[in-house]
Structures are given as C-alpha cells and as structure tokens.
C-alpha cells in the first residue's frame, strides 16, 4: 500500500527530528555541573517552555482515553476525563503549585521525607512509580495498535522505536532534552489532530445523531453516584503526578509556574477534545460506506482512533494523524520515564542509600533509572493485554492513596509518620476489599447500593476509600501527637522518630534564588527558542 511506504518514511523522519532536538537540548544540561540540570533544569524555564512542555505531556494522556474499541467507546466518559484534567491543572495552579515551588522542592516526595523521615516517605513512592510505568505503557500500546492498523507496521516495532528514542534523549539531557522535544511534539500534535478532525466529522459515512442510540446513551444512563466518583477521580487523581510538578518546580519563579499551569489547563482542554471527536466520528460511521473490508467482529476489536484515521480521512491527513500520535506517545513516555527516574535518583538513592554521592554518580544513576523505567513500560505495552485498564487502576491509586497524603503533608501541620502509614494502609486495604475485576478480586466489602446481579459497586467507592484514608491520617496523627508530646508514652517508644530532628534536609542550590542566574537563563532560553523555530 502507498500509505505504508510514505507514512513509514515520514514517521521515521519525525523520529529523527525529535532525536536531534533532544540532543540539542542536552547541550543546555552539559553547561551545568549539578544533577539538578537533569531533574529541574536548574529552575530556568520561562513561560513559553514551561507551558509548552506541560501542555504536551498532559494533552498526550488524553489519547489513552480516545483509543477505546468501538464497542466500548464512551464519549461522555472521555469528556469527563478532559474536563477533569482542566480542573486539576487549574486547581493545582492556585494551590499546590505555588506552595511547592515556593519551597523549592525537587520532587513531590520531598515534603514527605522532610516531614516524616526518608524511609517512611519513600513508601508512598511505590504507587506513583507503578502509575508512571502503566501510564506510559498505555499510550505506547495505543500508538502501536494504531500504527499497526494505519501503516500495517508491527505494533511491537513501533513501540520499541518510539520508546527507545525517548529513553535515549532523556538519558542524555534530562529535563532540558524533554522540554525542548515537547515543543516540537506539541507542534505535531496540534497540527496533526486539528487537520484530521474536520475530515473525520464531515465524512459521508458519519451520522452523529446515531450516537444517541448507542454507547453515548448507555453512559448517560449510568448511576449518578458512580459518575460523580469518576469525575472526582479525574480531577483530584491528576493532581498528584510528578511529571506535572516537574515543570512547575523547574520554572524560574512561582509566578511563572502558576501562569504556565493556568494557560496549560485551557490548552489541554482544547486538545483533549480532538481524540474525543475522532472517537465520536468512528462510533457514528457506517463502515459499509467506507473502504473498510474486514468483518464486523474484527471491526469491534480494533482501535476506534486507528479506524477513524485510516478510513475517514484522506491519505495526507492520515499521515499527519499518525505523526501526532507518535509525538504524543514520545512526549508522555519521556515525561513518565524522567518523572520516575528523578524520584528514584533523588528520593531513594541520594536521600536513603548514598547521601554522599557525587554529582557524576547521581547522573549515572539517573540514566540507569531512565533505562529501567523505559524498559518496563515498553515490556508492558507489548505484552499486557489490557494496558489501558491497568492505567485506570493506577489512577485509582493516585486518587485514593496519594491525593489525601499530599494534601495533608502540605497543609496539616499536625500530620506525622504514624498517621501517614496508617492512612496509606487503610486506603489501600479498603480499595482491595471493594473488589477489582481486573485483578479478579471479589468485593468482600459491599458498600450501600451494591448491585448483586452485576457484582458491581454503585456507591462512590474511590471517594469513600480516599476520605477514610485521609481521616485516618488526621486521627492517628492527632492521637500520637497527644500521646508523645504530653508524654503519656515515653519517647523511647517513638520508633519512627517523629519527635527527633529529621536526618534529611532540603539543600538549596544557588539556582533556587540567584536572580542573576535566572536572568541569564531567560536569555539562553530565548536563544534556544529561536533555534527551535528553525525546526518548525
């Protein structure tokens, strides 16, 4: 087929361009002598780079929601996801972002280790690492599946190519490389998707009114409590991702971080509509009026986005669409890989095992971590049968476990390690007791309105588990504070050493507060932007 050859060549050229830009970005990192160049870009990002990078990363996640099979497509749920991301970024811009950037943290787990101790704080890292790996794997799998349909390319080959390039430039230049490639990737995403959607919606086979009688109606008829639960999951679950705060913590000032998050929220809302519209077009299409020649059973099993790009748009537009999806896969992959490797390097290796590690040693650890996380994401994307379902499970953990923990560690002065561990255990235990079909776990804890026939929780179980875990943090922290402070219990029983001076403290670098350096960084950033424009 003509599309196979042309599309493959163009896709290869895009991979090369992104790799070259990533190597170009690594030159900025090489000018620094600290590992913070790889973690927070020496806090030098201005409005443009911070906004573009954050938008590319978060908007890419919307393609996971737009990749469902035709039989399971739910436009309303995807609209909820896009709106949830918008509200999450907006809420974070006015609350979490200013708080964390003003404290000059490097990762979102710094406040946990500073307040609860380095080992206790490290326990909360586990669900986040799992979430990063699964989130990246889900989009890589989406890209591979779409490429196999559109270009007749082996899905595993497409996945390995995109992830390898992402891991390569991320390992070379850290956040600098990721940020600069995000600019190019955002261009491909916007241009490619903006071109595809009008053609798909106006195809003669598409009848949007038919959606009301299919999956859209089924979503509308879903229980109100479950719908609210999902909406809250999308809003507050998206607040706890390190890849979001990595851009904010890398911004030159608190104002830059705040404004970038606000602008990015609007852009992500607009970009999040594109996969939804493609999915709607695919769901509403009469495939007998297209060039699709497969069976009806095969049609139900294919990616709705892949079908829409292949059969509802002309050849040049189809190639632009697959280029946009490739860019989004790489944008999310490099962000998740760097996010987890930053946490492993800073909060695990440097803070726990090797506090005396040299800058050179930390850079090697960062690169090794990049490879490990990238390898795991790629493996899951290739071999997991339901990576998108795993992504939904990881989102549950972020909302149920990490959201209340992050909120309380930042704003509840009374919170302590005992409360944090108890809240973590309760949140996780309740979620498992509520059942999970993906893990073949039955519901041992049947909440109100439980549907015995469908074996399904109708009560907002995620929000229930989140609130119970948060309440546990508060109650246990207050009680243990009373017991130890008023010496109802001797301090020798304080085995978590909550009432001793922490062994880890935030060591600020010169880049955190040096205004002269920030002015220089802004000038360098403008020079880099002008150079990047040459690629566009």
């Amino acid at each position: 087929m003509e599309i196979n050859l042309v599309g493959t060549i163009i896709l290869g050229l895009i991979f090369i361009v992104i790799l070259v830009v990533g190597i170009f970005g690594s030159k900025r990192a090489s000018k620094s002598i600290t590992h913070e160049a790889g973690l927070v870009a020496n806090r030098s990002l201005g409005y443009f780079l911070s906004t573009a990078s954050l938008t590319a990363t978060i908007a890419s996640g919307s393609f996971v929601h737009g990749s469902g099979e035709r039989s399971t497509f739910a436009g309303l749920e995807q609209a909820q996801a896009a709106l949830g991301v918008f509200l999450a970024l907006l809420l974070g811009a006015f609350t979490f972002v200013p708080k964390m950037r003003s404290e000059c943290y490097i990762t979102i787990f710094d406040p946990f280790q500073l307040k609860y101790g380095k080992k206790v704080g490290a326990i909360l890292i586990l669900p986040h690492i799992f979430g990063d790996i699964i989130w990246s794997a889900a989009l890589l799998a989406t890209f591979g599946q779409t490429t196999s349909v559109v270009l007749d390319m082996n899905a595993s080959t497409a996945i390995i190519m995109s992830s390898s390039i992402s891991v390569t430039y991320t390992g070379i230049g850290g956040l600098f490389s990721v940020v600069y490639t995000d600019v190019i990737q955002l261009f491909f995403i916007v241009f490619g998707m903006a071109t595809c959607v009008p053609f798909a919606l106006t195809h003669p086979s598409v009848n949007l009114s038919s959606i009301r009688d299919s999956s859209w109606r089924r979503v509308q008829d879903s229980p109100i409590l479950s719908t609210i639960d999902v909406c809250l999951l999308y809003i507050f679950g998206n607040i706890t991702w390190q890849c979001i705060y990595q851009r904010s913590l890398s911004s030159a000032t608190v104002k830059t971080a705040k404004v970038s998050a606000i602008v990015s929220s609007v852009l992500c809302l607009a970009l999040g509509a594109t996969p939804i519209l493609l999915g709607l077009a695919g769901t509403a299409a009469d495939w007998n009026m297209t060039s699709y020649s497969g069976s009806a059973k095969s049609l139900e099993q294919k990616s709705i986005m892949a079908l829409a790009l292949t059969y509802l748009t002309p050849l040049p537009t189809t190639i632009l669409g697959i280029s946009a999806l490739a860019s989004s896969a790489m944008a999310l992959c490099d962000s998740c890989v760097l996010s987890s490797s930053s946490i492993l390097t800073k909060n695990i290796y440097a803070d726990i095992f090797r506090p005396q590690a040299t800058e050179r040693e930390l850079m090697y650890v960062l690169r090794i971590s990049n490879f490990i996380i990238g390898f795991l994401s790629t493996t899951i994307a290739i071999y997991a049968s339901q990576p998108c379902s795993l992504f939904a499970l990881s989102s549950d953990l972020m909302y149920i476990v990490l959201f209340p923990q992050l909120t309380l560690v930042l704003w509840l002065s009374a919170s302590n390690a005992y409360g944090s561990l108890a809240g973590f255990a309760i949140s996780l235990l309740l979620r498992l007791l509520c059942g999970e079909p993906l893990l073949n776990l039955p519901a041992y804890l049947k909440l109100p309105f439980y549907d015995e026939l469908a074996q399904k929780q109708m009560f907002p179980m995620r929000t229930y588990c989140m609130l119970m875990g948060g309440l546990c943090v508060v109650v246990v922290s207050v009680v243990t504070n009373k017991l130890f402070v008023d010496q109802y219990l001797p301090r020798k029983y304080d085995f978590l050493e909550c009432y001793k001076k922490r062994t880890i403290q935030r060591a600020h670098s010169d880049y955190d507060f040096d205004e002269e350096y920030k002015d220089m960084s802004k000038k360098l950033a403008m020079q880099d932007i002008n150079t990047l424009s040459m690629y566009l």
Side-chain angles (χ1 to χ4, degrees):
M1 293 175 61
E2 180 186 3
I3 186 174
N4 295 349
L5 178 60
V6 177
T8 302
I9 292 174
I10 293 179
L11 187 61
L13 290 176
I14 290 175
F15 283 154
I16 293 174
V17 169
I18 292 176
L19 179 60
V20 170
V21 173
I23 295 174
F24 161 77
S26 68
K27 294 180 180 180
R28 281 289 305 277
S30 65
K31 298 175 184 178
S32 174
I33 60 173
T34 71
H35 71 287
E36 289 193 20
L39 302 183
V40 290
N42 291 334
R43 307 199 194 275
S44 62
L45 299 187
Y47 292 106
F48 175 78
L49 289 178
S50 180
T51 302
S53 182
L54 184 57
T55 304
T57 300
I58 305 304
S60 297
S62 64
F63 288 91
V64 175
H65 297 286
S67 62
E69 297 174 1
R70 186 172 186 266
S71 59
T72 60
F73 174 74
L76 181 58
E77 183 177 349
Q78 293 177 355
Q80 291 173 340
L83 184 60
V85 170
F86 166 73
L87 293 176
L89 286 174
L90 205 59
L91 177 61
F94 288 99
T95 55
F96 293 86
V97 167
K99 174 76 171 178
M100 300 189 74
R101 178 59 187 88
S102 62
E103 296 292 335
C104 295
Y105 295 131
I106 295 180
T107 76
I108 64 171
F109 293 99
D110 284 353
F112 292 103
Q113 291 186 305
L114 289 167
K115 191 172 186 179
Y116 302 153
K118 52 188 178 181
K119 294 181 180 179
V120 174
I123 294 176
L124 299 172
I125 292 175
L126 299 178
H128 191 286
I129 299 294
F130 174 77
D132 267 343
I133 294 174
I134 297 301
W135 195 12
S136 178
L139 190 52
L140 285 172
T142 299
F143 170 62
Q145 185 182 30
T146 306
T147 305
S148 66
V149 174
V150 178
L151 301 181
D152 197 24
M153 179 187 292
N154 182 272
S156 298
T157 301
I159 291 171
I160 293 173
M161 286 177 59
S162 58
S163 62
S164 298
I165 294 174
S166 299
V167 171
T168 297
Y169 66 70
T170 303
I172 294 174
L175 186 59
F176 276 119
S177 290
V178 171
V179 167
Y180 290 131
T181 55
D182 281 342
V183 176
I184 303 297
Q185 290 158 350
L186 181 61
F187 170 79
F188 286 127
I189 292 171
V190 173
F191 185 68
M193 284 294 140
T195 306
C196 290
V197 169
F199 283 99
L201 291 176
T202 57
H203 193 275
S205 67
V206 175
N207 179 15
L208 294 177
S209 62
S210 65
I211 297 177
R212 292 178 297 179
D213 301 322
S214 58
S215 54
W216 185 272
R217 173 62 61 86
R218 291 200 300 271
V219 176
Q220 287 180 318
D221 294 338
S222 61
I224 184 63
L225 290 178
S226 297
T227 302
I228 293 175
D229 196 32
V230 172
C231 289
L232 294 176
L233 166 68
Y234 286 138
I235 296 172
F236 298 109
N238 281 315
I239 287 181
T240 54
W241 293 94
Q242 159 69 11
C243 60
I244 297 178
Y245 292 101
Q246 194 145 23
R247 276 72 179 165
S248 300
L249 295 173
S250 305
S251 298
T253 64
V254 175
K255 182 180 179 181
T256 302
K258 183 176 180 179
V259 172
S260 297
I262 294 173
V263 175
S264 181
S265 68
V266 178
L267 295 176
C268 287
L269 181 63
L271 289 175
T274 57
I276 295 174
L277 293 175
L278 280 176
L280 288 173
T283 303
D286 181 358
W287 295 100
N288 294 322
M289 297 175 61
T290 68
S291 59
Y292 179 76
S293 58
S295 65
K297 182 178 180 180
S298 176
L299 177 66
E300 293 291 328
Q301 297 173 344
K302 293 183 181 295
S303 164
I304 191 67
M305 183 182 296
L307 291 170
L309 288 175
T310 306
Y311 300 103
L312 302 182
T313 63
L315 172 58
T317 308
T318 301
I319 295 174
L320 289 175
I322 197 66
S323 301
L325 190 57
S327 298
S328 66
M330 297 177 74
L332 186 59
C333 181
D334 61 29
S335 296
C336 290
V337 166
L338 181 62
S339 168
S340 290
S341 58
S342 298
I343 295 170
L344 291 173
T345 302
K346 165 65 172 62
N347 301 104
I348 301 296
Y349 188 82
D351 287 345
I352 297 179
F353 296 108
R354 287 277 294 172
Q356 73 277 18
T358 64
E359 296 292 341
R360 185 180 182 85
E361 180 181 349
L362 292 176
M363 286 304 300
Y364 278 119
V365 173
L366 180 63
R367 288 166 180 165
I368 294 172
S369 300
N370 279 333
F371 174 79
I372 293 174
I373 299 298
F375 175 79
L376 291 175
S377 297
T378 303
T379 303
I380 293 174
I382 294 174
Y383 294 105
S385 59
Q386 293 179 307
C388 291
S389 298
L390 288 173
F391 167 71
L393 180 60
S394 68
S395 297
D396 275 16
L397 294 178
M398 301 300 285
Y399 175 48
I400 294 169
V401 176
L402 286 184
F403 170 68
Q405 294 276 358
L406 182 62
T407 303
L408 294 173
V409 76
L410 292 177
W411 280 287
L412 181 67
S413 59
S415 65
N416 61 32
Y418 298 104
S420 178
L421 288 179
F424 177 87
I426 291 297
S427 297
L428 190 59
L429 177 62
L430 288 176
R431 179 62 185 91
L432 294 176
L433 290 176
C434 286
E436 178 50 56
L438 185 63
L439 302 177
N440 294 321
L441 285 178
Y444 296 102
L445 176 62
K446 299 179 180 179
L447 300 175
F449 314 115
Y450 182 80
D451 189 336
E452 293 285 356
L453 182 62
Q455 295 291 299
K456 184 178 180 181
Q457 299 279 5
M458 309 304 290
F459 193 77
M461 63 172 182
R462 300 176 184 87
T463 303
Y464 167 77
C465 296
M466 182 273 293
L467 291 175
M468 291 299 100
L471 180 62
C472 185
V473 174
V474 175
V475 172
V476 173
S477 295
V478 171
V479 171
T480 51
N481 284 341
K482 182 68 175 177
L483 291 175
F484 284 112
V485 172
D486 292 348
Q487 296 189 4
Y488 290 103
L489 283 177
R491 292 289 178 89
K492 65 180 180 180
Y493 295 116
D494 176 24
F495 62 93
L496 294 181
E497 300 183 345
C498 290
Y499 306 97
K500 293 183 179 180
K501 186 178 180 180
R502 293 271 71 89
T503 58
I504 171 178
Q505 296 183 6
R506 169 73 178 102
H508 295 289
S509 70
D510 294 336
Y511 304 119
D512 291 340
F513 308 106
D514 191 340
E515 296 298 329
E516 181 179 352
Y517 174 78
K518 291 177 182 178
D519 291 338
M520 180 188 69
S521 296
K522 291 178 181 179
K523 293 179 181 178
L524 289 173
M526 289 305 300
Q527 293 175 5
D528 292 339
I529 292 171
N530 292 333
T531 306
L532 278 173
S533 64
M534 296 172 58
Y535 292 94
L536 301 177

